């Protein structure tokens, strides 16, 4: 091979300690990045001797794999891919070198690429691609990057030489993911590098079988190479230079609140890496741990970041109070389940299972066995699922034939999440907290495994819920401030008031309650606003955009389910029967519901039953306090009385702010028609006062209370006296109706006067007793709490076994956008308290 030599070489790093620097593909992804890497190496050489291990340049390994695959399939376009590889490396070389220095580097690159072209052409001719052949093809990525970096170091007057790790690291013949012979490899490395000057640039990822053929150490294997060299040479530190700031408490691409971990132990790093953390190769920790060499994860794009230091134990001056160190996940696993009554008490079943999988190089990610010994569940890579199933069916063919063992079952589309931490050992409540937060978010745990050292709890879930699970687990263990995500339906008076209240109090909730209420969605029939990070509540109206797709409430439900955020609450601020009809779908999707819409709980009995059934089947909450008394605690009071064992004898009350105002004014001597007109002008009534005078809204509220008492009632079962004379109930214009309403003034005046003679007054009130509900104009004693109402106040009187002599009274404003929104907000906070 042709080696590049500089006439002006500075031999730095002759004294001091030795460090291993490993640079990943993104760190070497361009000429500019290679220059940055060279600067990092040059600065380190002022203090230490440096051995550099490199990965292939970013994307090169994938391109090599693609070229070999196409060639094997007879697709001549593999040549285009190889040309792309040549252009990429020539382009980088052209930026790094100039003049007489460029040609020798181009010769080196061309020599490697010529070998590669010849080899891939052979694959094309033979239409055969074994793991052995593929390992050879993939090895060229690291060879090319190592050639470039070593040459550029020399161009910068830093003594350097290229070293092919396949000449030193010895493995078995499992070419795609080889098992390293540590003893032989360390002897070779020590012998070859007993003494050296300058910087050694080593190819990562590649090794060789005993016969000298190339093997690979698996994806990310360059980390492993660095650790092997570090252990063999007694390095003081192994630095893994990558494109992230270190190990995080969770994948920051999936968990926005993930935090950097300054220190973790070898054991924690191994657990996190094995379970999917891509920061470090799972096997890379072992040689370093055995030799007691610290591993430092650093970001070559952000040198100032402290990174993550991995050692045997935490430094004495660092205290960690949280039981969990971090989370990691593998988003594609397959569960293989072996079960059957013939397994119980039969020795050797597990041994046979694991032995036959091991002999066929099937990697087991996760193991769970029932205490009854009736089933063993394994998680494996999906690519190996069919092979593993066939192997096990052959192994247990006899037992399956005699029905002692059931046919093997494969379950796909699953994810594995590992909850890792040294402090979990002996820390009670970790499992309870984990499963509670998953349960409250409707995430089903399919399988679970925990080692006796209590350092790792691994769970298998549906892959659709992976991000949701990671976020809710991370929030539960790492954040004092928790989030709830709101999706609001309706943008009318109640919704506007609710948004204003959330905006005004959000800061205090964060400060005093460690709760962040995030409005992620708002929608009406024509417009929608969505933002998982939270809509700007000061400018939410401008965020509303026309709905292009996902129309109606079913479309909104689909959007909410697709987003699949943890701690989600749907808030209904509409008066839509269509919206109420999908409450069961939200609840069965484990989405909690808060509603000011009465058309669910006061709807047809089948809908009421569907809502109740959905509540029982899910872990979601359904609150509807504002359905009856706006901001008054009527539903909660009723539930508290029932749940505490009190017997409710009757419920009396006034549950219409409009009608309360009218009859309170009548007691002062006003005329009925004039009071109705006054109420309309003050905005107490609907645009058509007949909607209030019909008593329909009042009847729905009493229907809800009757159902909450356990009575099977429909709307038609509530006896409701309409205050609209029958002859005025048609299509008569509102103005004409108000003009004609004076015809009933004399009746109300006479009735009020007659009642007064008996020490009573009249009120439009309701009563529920003995399973019957009625509403209408009633005479009540002046001593009754109802007679003491003023303005538009509402009131409910509970007469119970405990409150028989002095009934329990709930009284206050029962209508208005601000009051109702306040009740909705209170229900949201109740559910938030449950969720977090």
């Amino acid at each position: 091979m042709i080696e590049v030599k500089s006439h002006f070489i500075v031999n730095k790093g002759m004294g001091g300690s030795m460090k291993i620097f490993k640079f990943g593909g993104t760190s070497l992804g361009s000429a500019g990045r290679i220059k940055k890497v060279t600067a990092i190496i040059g600065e380190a050489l002022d203090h230490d001797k440096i051995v550099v291990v490199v990965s292939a340049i970013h994307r090169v390994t994938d391109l090599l794999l693609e070229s070999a695959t196409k060639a094997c399939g007879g697709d001549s376009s593999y040549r285009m891919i190889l040309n792309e590889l040549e252009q990429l490396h020539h382009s980088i070389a052209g930026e790094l070198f100039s003049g007489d220095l460029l040609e020798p580097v181009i010769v080196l690159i061309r020599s490697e690429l010529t070998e590669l072209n010849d080899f891939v052409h052979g694959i094309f001719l033979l239409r055969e691609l074994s793991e052995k052949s593929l390992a050879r093809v993939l090895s060229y990525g690291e060879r090319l990057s190592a050639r470039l970096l070593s040459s550029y170091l020399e161009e910068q007057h830093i003594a350097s030489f290229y070293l092919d790790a396949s000449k030193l690291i010895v493995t078995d013949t499992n070419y795609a993911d080889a098992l390293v012979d540590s003893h032989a490899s360390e002897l070779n490395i020590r012998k070859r590098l007993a003494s050296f000057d300058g910087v050694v640039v080593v190819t990562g990822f590649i090794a060789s079988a005993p016969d000298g053929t190339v093997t690979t150490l698996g994806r990310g294997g360059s980390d492993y190479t660095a650790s092997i060299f570090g252990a063999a040479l007694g390095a003081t530190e192994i630095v893994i230079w990558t494109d992230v700031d270190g190990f995080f408490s969770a994948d920051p691409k999936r968990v926005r609140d993930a935090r950097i971990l300054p220190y973790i132990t070898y054991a924690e790093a191994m657990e996190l890496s094995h379970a999917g953390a891509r920061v470090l190769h799972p096997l890379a920790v072992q040689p370093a741990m055995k030799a007691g060499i610290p591993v430092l994860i650093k970001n070559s794009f952000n040198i100032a970041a402290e990174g993550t230091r991995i050692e045997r134990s935490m430094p004495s001056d660092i205290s960690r109070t949280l039981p969990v160190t971090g989370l990691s996940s593998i988003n594609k696993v397959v569960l293989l389940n072996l079960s059957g009554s013939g397994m119980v008490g039969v020795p050797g079943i597990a041994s046979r299972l694991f032995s036959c999988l091991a002999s066929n190089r099937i990697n087991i990610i996760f193991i769970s066995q029932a205490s009854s010994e009736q089933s063993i569940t394994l998680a494996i890579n999906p690519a190996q699922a069919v092979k593993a199933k066939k192997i096990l069916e052959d192994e247990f063919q006899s037992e399956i034939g005699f029905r002692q063992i059931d046919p093997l079952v494969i379950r796909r589309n699953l994810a594995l999440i590992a909850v890792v931490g040294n402090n979990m050992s002996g820390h009670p409540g970790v499992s309870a907290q984990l499963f509670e937060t998953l349960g409250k978010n409707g995430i089903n745990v399919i399988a679970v495994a925990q080692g006796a050292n209590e350092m790792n709890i691994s769970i298998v879930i549906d892959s659709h819920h992976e991000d949701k699970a990671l976020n809710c687990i991370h929030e539960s263990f790492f954040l004092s401030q928790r989030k709830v995500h709101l999706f609001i339906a309706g943008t009318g008076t109640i919704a506007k008031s609710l948004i204003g209240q959330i905006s005004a109090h959000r800061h205090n909730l964060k400060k005093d309650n460690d709760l962040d209420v995030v409005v992620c969605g708002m929608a009406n029939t024509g417009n929608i606003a969505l933002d998982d990070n939270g809509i700007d509540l000061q400018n939410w109206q401008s965020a509303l955009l026309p709905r292009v797709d996902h129309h109606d409430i079913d479309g909104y439900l689909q959007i909410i389910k697709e987003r699949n955020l943890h701690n989600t609450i749907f808030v209904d601020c509409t008066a839509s029967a269509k919206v109420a009809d999908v409450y069961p779908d939200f609840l069965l999707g484990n989405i909690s519901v808060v509603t000011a819409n009465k058309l669910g709980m006061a709807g047809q009995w089948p809908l009421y039953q569907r809502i109740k059934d959905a509540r029982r089947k899910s872990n979601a909450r359904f609150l509807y306090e504002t359905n009856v008394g706006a901001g008054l605690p009527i539903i909660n009071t009723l539930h508290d009385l029932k749940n505490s064992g009190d017997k409710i004898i009757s419920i009396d009350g006034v549950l219409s702010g409009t009608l309360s105002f009218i009859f309170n004014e009548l007691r002062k001597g006003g005329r009925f028609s004039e009071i109705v007109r006054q109420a309309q002008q003050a905005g107490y009534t609907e645009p058509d006062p007949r909607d209030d005078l019909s008593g329909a809204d009042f009847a729905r509220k009493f229907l809800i209370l009757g159902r909450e008492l356990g009575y099977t009632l429909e709307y038609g079962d509530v006896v409701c006296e309409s205050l609209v004379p029958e002859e005025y109930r048609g299509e008569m214009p509102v103005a004409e109706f108000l003009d004609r309403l004076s015809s009933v003034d004399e009746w109300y005046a006479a009735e009020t006067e007659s009642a007064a003679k008996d020490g009573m007054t009249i009120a439009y009130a309701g009563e529920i007793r003995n399973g019957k509900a009625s509403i209408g104009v009633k005479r009540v004693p002046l001593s009754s709490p109802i007679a003491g109402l003023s303005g538009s106040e509402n009131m409910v009187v509970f007469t119970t076994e405990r409150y028989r002599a002095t009934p329990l009274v709930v009284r206050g404003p029962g209508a208005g956008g601000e009051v109702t929104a306040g009740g909705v907000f209170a229900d949201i906070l109740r559910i938030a308290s449950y969720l977090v």
Side-chain angles (χ1 to χ4, degrees):
M1 291 293 182
I2 301 173
E3 301 288 349
V4 176
K5 296 294 183 182
S6 169
H7 298 291
F8 306 98
I9 295 175
V10 178
N11 289 321
K12 292 185 174 184
M14 294 298 289
S17 58
M18 178 189 296
K19 292 184 177 180
I20 310 295
F21 279 13
K22 179 264 173 177
F23 291 97
T26 53
S27 298
L28 301 165
S30 67
R33 295 307 312 157
I34 291 175
K35 290 177 181 179
K36 183 67 175 177
V37 163
T38 301
I40 292 171
I41 295 169
E43 184 176 346
L45 282 171
D46 289 335
H47 311 285
D48 305 287
K49 296 189 72 170
I50 301 295
V51 172
V52 175
V53 176
V54 296
S55 298
I57 290 170
H58 179 56
R59 288 184 59 247
V60 167
T61 301
D62 290 335
L63 290 172
L64 288 167
L65 175 60
E66 186 180 357
S67 70
T69 304
K70 284 183 178 294
C72 180
D75 185 347
S76 61
S77 66
Y78 80 87
R79 297 187 182 94
M80 296 174 61
I81 300 171
L82 294 180
N83 287 338
E84 183 181 348
L85 283 170
E86 182 175 6
Q87 290 170 13
L88 171 65
H89 289 88
H90 283 186
S91 173
I92 292 174
E95 292 184 52
L96 293 176
F97 305 96
S98 60
D100 294 339
L101 295 174
L102 176 60
E103 183 57 29
V105 178
I106 294 297
V107 170
L108 284 174
I109 293 173
R110 190 173 292 132
S111 174
E112 297 284 0
L113 289 173
T114 299
E115 286 185 13
L116 172 63
N117 271 278
D118 291 343
F119 197 83
V120 177
H121 183 61
I123 293 171
F124 176 74
L125 294 175
L126 296 173
R127 302 292 197 273
E128 185 274 333
L129 180 61
S130 65
E131 288 187 347
K132 182 177 180 180
S133 297
L134 182 59
R136 172 77 178 272
V137 172
L138 297 181
S139 71
Y140 285 93
E142 276 68 22
R143 288 172 173 162
L144 287 164
S145 63
R147 292 287 188 191
L148 279 172
L149 179 60
S150 177
S151 297
Y152 187 68
L153 286 169
E154 295 234 347
E155 196 273 344
Q156 293 296 302
H157 313 304
I158 298 174
S160 171
F161 66 90
Y162 165 89
L163 183 61
D164 186 344
S166 67
K167 302 293 190 282
L168 302 178
I169 299 179
V170 183
T171 70
D172 63 6
T173 55
N174 184 47
Y175 293 93
D177 193 4
L179 180 65
V180 173
D181 182 337
S182 300
H183 179 69
S185 300
E186 289 184 5
L187 286 177
N188 289 343
I189 293 168
R190 287 171 188 159
K191 182 178 180 181
R192 176 68 180 83
L193 298 176
S195 63
F196 63 90
D197 295 333
V199 177
V200 186
V201 180
V202 183
T203 57
F205 176 61
I206 61 176
S208 63
D211 64 358
T213 54
V214 175
T215 61
T216 60
L217 304 181
R219 279 297 180 107
S222 295
D223 296 341
Y224 193 15
T225 304
S227 190
I228 292 169
F229 269 78
L233 298 174
T236 56
E237 188 174 68
I238 300 167
V239 185
I240 307 295
W241 291 93
T242 181
D243 57 357
V244 294
D245 286 344
F247 268 97
F248 282 77
S249 53
D251 184 347
K253 294 178 182 177
R254 295 180 141 175
V255 179
R256 289 188 295 272
D257 298 312
R259 57 181 66 171
I260 193 73
L261 300 172
Y263 290 91
I264 58 174
T265 65
Y266 292 130
E268 289 171 332
M270 289 175 65
E271 294 284 357
L272 289 169
S273 298
H274 176 75
R278 299 180 183 233
V279 180
L280 192 64
H281 189 283
L283 296 178
V285 178
Q286 293 179 357
M289 179 172 65
K290 184 178 178 181
I293 303 170
V295 178
L296 182 62
I297 310 296
K298 290 279 287 181
N299 189 347
S300 65
F301 294 81
N302 181 19
I303 299 175
E306 293 294 327
T308 299
R309 194 169 184 83
I310 306 169
E311 297 189 67
R312 193 173 305 280
S313 58
M314 298 290 292
S316 57
D317 59 335
I318 301 293
S319 62
R320 186 189 286 165
T321 58
L322 297 175
V324 175
T325 298
L327 315 176
S328 60
S329 66
I330 302 174
N331 62 358
K332 289 182 181 179
V333 299
V334 166
L335 278 189
L336 203 62
N337 190 58
L338 185 73
S339 63
S341 58
M343 294 170 59
V344 178
V346 178
I349 293 288
S351 174
R352 288 169 60 192
L353 185 152
F354 297 131
S355 294
C356 74
L357 291 178
S359 64
N360 286 277
R361 305 292 294 184
I362 304 293
N363 182 42
I364 299 173
I365 303 169
F366 168 103
I367 303 169
S368 178
Q369 182 174 15
S371 60
S372 65
E373 303 179 34
Q374 189 167 324
S375 69
I376 300 175
T377 301
L378 310 172
I380 60 175
N381 188 302
Q384 296 181 305
V386 175
K387 179 181 177 182
K389 183 174 185 290
K390 178 68 167 58
I391 289 167
L392 292 178
E393 285 176 340
D394 290 345
E395 174 67 27
F396 294 99
Q397 181 179 9
S398 175
E399 288 87 347
I400 293 172
F402 286 106
R403 298 186 179 180
Q404 296 171 328
I405 292 179
D406 300 328
L408 271 80
V409 176
I410 293 180
R411 186 164 180 177
R412 300 181 182 274
N413 301 316
L414 304 175
L416 180 142
I417 294 178
V419 181
V420 175
N422 277 338
N423 283 4
M424 287 165 54
S425 178
H427 195 292
V430 174
S431 296
Q433 186 173 339
L434 169 63
F435 294 117
E436 181 183 27
T437 192
L438 291 172
K440 286 179 177 179
N441 280 277
I443 300 169
N444 180 46
V445 176
I446 298 166
V448 61
Q450 180 175 7
N453 62 5
E454 300 182 59
M455 198 180 72
N456 182 336
I457 303 174
S458 294
I459 59 171
V460 176
I461 62 172
D462 190 309
S463 59
H464 173 66
H465 290 307
E466 183 183 1
D467 284 1
K468 182 179 182 181
L470 286 169
N471 277 275
C472 70
I473 295 170
H474 187 271
E475 185 175 282
S476 177
F477 284 105
F478 290 94
L479 304 181
S480 59
Q481 189 176 100
R482 312 292 181 83
K483 291 181 181 178
V484 291
H485 301 97
L486 306 188
F487 289 85
I488 300 173
T491 56
T493 302
I494 296 172
K496 289 176 181 176
S497 296
L498 176 62
I499 290 296
Q501 291 177 22
I502 294 172
S503 179
H505 295 286
R506 189 178 178 191
H507 175 73
N508 288 336
L509 286 171
K510 288 181 181 180
K511 179 181 176 183
D512 299 334
N513 299 72
D514 290 325
L515 176 67
D516 189 9
V517 179
V518 184
V519 179
C520 297
M522 295 191 73
N524 54 33
T525 54
N527 298 289
I528 193 167
L530 297 166
D531 189 337
D532 290 355
N533 294 317
I535 297 167
D536 181 359
L537 300 185
Q538 301 297 320
N539 301 290
W540 64 269
Q541 289 173 310
S542 62
L544 288 167
L545 299 173
R547 295 175 73 161
V548 178
D549 48 21
H550 293 96
H551 295 286
D552 299 326
I553 185 60
D554 291 328
Y556 198 22
L557 170 61
Q558 183 182 345
I559 289 171
I560 297 170
K561 285 186 173 181
E562 287 173 353
R563 277 173 146 70
N564 205 26
L565 300 176
H566 68 291
N567 298 342
T568 294
I569 304 174
F570 173 72
V571 184
D572 185 6
C573 294
T574 74
S576 167
K578 286 185 177 180
V579 176
D581 196 51
V582 297
Y583 291 164
D585 297 323
F586 279 105
L587 295 170
L588 292 174
N590 281 286
I591 298 167
S592 294
V593 176
V594 171
T595 178
N597 181 358
K598 289 182 279 292
L599 298 182
M601 298 306 281
Q604 294 291 318
W605 182 258
L607 173 59
Y608 177 81
Q609 281 294 93
R610 285 199 299 121
I611 294 171
K612 289 283 190 180
D613 290 343
R615 287 172 66 188
R616 283 191 291 267
K617 291 176 182 177
S618 79
N619 290 319
R621 289 294 185 266
F622 180 79
L623 295 183
Y624 48 98
E625 183 65 76
T626 55
N627 280 196
V628 173
L632 297 180
I634 295 171
I635 298 290
N636 280 334
T637 301
L638 188 154
H639 288 167
D640 288 344
L641 291 171
K642 285 182 62 180
N643 293 338
S644 65
D646 201 356
K647 181 181 179 181
I648 299 174
I649 299 168
S650 66
I651 298 177
D652 301 271
V654 175
L655 287 175
S656 168
T658 302
L659 296 174
S660 177
F661 172 81
I662 291 171
F663 279 83
N664 291 338
E665 290 299 308
L666 272 177
R667 284 193 282 275
K668 298 177 183 178
R671 296 179 65 80
F672 184 80
S673 62
E674 293 175 357
I675 296 170
V676 171
R677 191 182 296 275
Q678 179 186 347
Q680 186 205 37
Q681 293 171 351
Y684 291 154
T685 72
E686 296 294 329
D688 187 342
R690 284 171 291 188
D691 293 340
D692 298 284
L693 296 177
S694 69
D697 188 62
F698 196 153
R700 290 192 187 97
K701 295 175 180 179
F702 257 56
L703 172 61
I704 293 171
L705 290 178
R707 287 175 169 177
E708 292 302 295
L709 288 177
Y711 302 132
T712 304
L713 296 174
E714 289 284 12
Y715 178 78
D717 297 326
V718 180
V719 178
C720 180
E721 178 185 355
S722 175
L723 301 185
V724 180
E726 190 170 349
E727 61 271 23
Y728 304 156
R729 296 176 189 173
E731 298 297 325
M732 181 183 295
V734 174
E736 184 180 348
F737 163 70
L738 291 173
D739 289 339
R740 292 191 181 189
L741 192 58
S742 59
S743 63
V744 300
D745 287 348
E746 293 302 325
W747 185 89
Y748 282 103
E751 188 66 17
T752 302
E753 183 179 348
S754 174
K757 290 178 181 178
D758 297 331
M760 305 182 81
T761 187
I762 63 170
Y764 191 80
E767 178 186 55
I768 302 175
R769 186 185 293 270
N770 298 325
K772 298 184 182 299
S774 63
I775 303 166
V777 179
K778 302 177 185 293
R779 288 192 175 194
V780 296
L782 292 174
S783 60
S784 167
I786 292 175
L789 289 174
S790 62
S792 59
E793 286 184 320
N794 279 7
M795 174 183 288
V796 170
V797 181
F798 294 99
T799 302
T800 74
E801 290 287 359
R802 296 174 188 160
Y803 294 94
R804 186 188 292 268
T806 305
L808 177 61
V809 176
V810 179
R811 172 180 174 177
E818 283 292 324
V819 172
T820 303
V824 170
F825 197 7
D827 276 351
I828 291 169
L829 295 180
R830 289 187 187 97
I831 292 180
S833 179
Y834 158 75
L835 289 173
V836 304

